[in-house]
Amino acid sequence: MISWFIQLVCSAAVTIRLVVSVLVGFPFFAVGMFGLINDDLSDQASLVVLLVGGLMVLVGVYVTVISRPNLNLMPGEEALVFRHPSMRPAFARMAMSLPFLAAAGYMLEFTTLPYVYPFIPFIVAIYFYFRGVVTYWINHHTTYYVTNRRAVQMYRFFWLDTIEIPVASINSISETRSFIEMISGRGSIVVASGIGARHKVRIQEIDDPGPVAEVLRGLLP
């Protein structure tokens, strides 16, 4: 009964991620179809927009299908913390693009302004939207571990990238929270053993980072 329930929850989660992957490409499908129906965009430009939307859906499905990276524990090693980045920053960035996209559509369809004016908010919308989508893809396959021996940051998308710092080598633990992160209960932790990107584990945009920082500080001699 328990295994059946776990399988049901997992399948529901996969279905939700697949739906999100399709919705990610929806604005491009909408703009492309709008361009084909109306004369505001050329057919070639509309087809390019539709192609971009299709590629984004395919990448999103790939992100959903491949599994998140898992840490292989060594003998005697115990996992103390296991976290993924929060998805709320990615969705917030995508939502921030919608007013600019609406403004661009309004100026294009209901005003006689030159095309350069709706093009400016459209570029801003694309920037926020792509940044949110890429953040969603990256966060979906980023995993953070803290064990009794090491702090690990793992990322796997088209490749696998792992950064780990032995507990004995940690010389700095810093916790950062912006105003928005404090309100939403999110934050980031940087664990460092030296100078350089490969000597820092960045546990970024996680929910309730306080306990994670306490676990790390408790491991220090």
Side-chain angles (χ1 to χ4, degrees):
M1 181 67 178
I2 295 178
S3 61
W4 174 83
F5 179 74
I6 294 175
Q7 292 177 358
L8 180 63
V9 171
C10 291
S11 62
V14 171
T15 302
I16 291 173
R17 289 196 294 268
L18 285 172
V19 171
V20 171
S21 300
V22 174
L23 291 177
V24 161
F26 176 77
F28 294 89
F29 292 134
V31 172
M33 293 303 298
F34 178 82
L36 290 176
I37 295 173
N38 295 272
D39 296 328
D40 295 315
L41 294 175
S42 65
D43 291 345
Q44 291 81 3
S46 301
L47 291 175
V48 169
V49 174
L50 289 172
L51 178 61
V52 171
L55 290 175
M56 295 184 70
V57 170
L58 290 177
V59 174
V61 171
Y62 172 79
V63 169
T64 302
V65 171
I66 63 174
S67 59
R68 284 169 164 167
N70 293 315
L71 180 66
N72 294 321
L73 298 176
M74 298 181 293
E77 187 176 20
E78 178 185 358
L80 306 177
V81 173
F82 167 72
R83 293 289 187 92
H84 293 295
S86 172
M87 293 298 178
R88 282 178 287 182
F91 294 141
R93 292 184 179 105
M94 285 188 268
M96 288 173 62
S97 70
L98 298 180
F100 295 98
L101 187 62
Y106 176 81
M107 286 189 287
L108 182 65
E109 185 68 16
F110 299 105
T111 70
T112 57
L113 292 171
Y115 284 165
V116 66
Y117 290 98
F119 182 73
I120 294 174
F122 177 76
I123 289 298
V124 175
I126 290 298
Y127 168 76
F128 281 119
Y129 194 78
F130 268 107
R131 189 178 178 190
V133 170
V134 172
T135 301
Y136 172 78
W137 288 341
I138 293 175
N139 287 357
H140 189 74
H141 285 281
T142 300
T143 306
Y144 305 117
Y145 287 92
V146 176
T147 75
N148 56 340
R149 295 187 180 181
R150 50 186 169 159
V152 184
Q153 172 187 344
M154 303 183 72
Y155 166 74
R156 181 173 65 186
F157 191 24
F158 292 108
W159 62 90
L160 176 64
D161 184 25
T162 301
I163 301 176
E164 60 179 72
I165 298 178
V167 170
S169 300
I170 296 176
N171 57 28
S172 172
I173 299 173
S174 58
E175 182 179 354
T176 61
R177 297 193 191 191
S178 66
F179 178 72
I180 299 299
E181 287 177 332
M182 291 180 63
I183 294 176
S184 60
R186 292 182 292 105
S188 301
I189 301 169
V190 179
V191 183
S193 63
I195 300 175
R198 305 304 298 183
H199 295 278
K200 294 181 180 179
V201 169
R202 300 181 182 274
I203 306 176
Q204 296 180 319
E205 296 184 338
I206 59 172
D207 296 323
D208 194 17
V212 179
E214 291 301 319
V215 169
L216 286 164
R217 294 187 183 103
L219 294 174
L220 297 179

